[in-house]
Amino acid sequence: MAVAAARAAIAEAGGGVSRAELESIINNAVMRIIAALAQVGFYIDGQLLARLVKKGMSELDYRYNPVEIT
């Protein structure tokens, strides 16, 4: 799927991509991923993971049932 998307992007751009351009694209993507991980915490300890799971479950529960029952 990713290969097909890359080929489609190359075809749409009107030609091939040089090795330097491809390296630049990949480096930029990796830097964005690292920046996103840094916002969460690059290392994930047990407590951070538990908080993230609890938050995700809470958001998922609210999405399917916005009425809070206490």
Side-chain angles (χ1 to χ4, degrees):
M1 185 135 180
V3 173
R7 287 184 178 150
I10 291 169
E12 194 173 301
V17 175
S18 71
R19 181 182 179 110
E21 290 171 327
L22 182 59
E23 286 177 2
S24 176
I25 291 167
I26 292 171
N27 286 338
N28 287 337
V30 168
M31 293 306 292
R32 285 192 301 238
I33 291 168
I34 290 171
L37 288 173
Q39 289 179 351
V40 174
F42 202 95
Y43 64 94
I44 297 180
D45 63 2
Q47 290 181 355
L48 179 58
L49 183 58
R51 285 194 304 268
L52 292 172
V53 168
K54 184 177 178 181
K55 179 181 178 197
M57 292 299 293
S58 176
E59 291 171 358
L60 187 62
D61 288 346
Y62 182 78
R63 182 181 306 157
Y64 290 113
N65 186 12
V67 177
E68 185 175 336
I69 299 173
T70 57

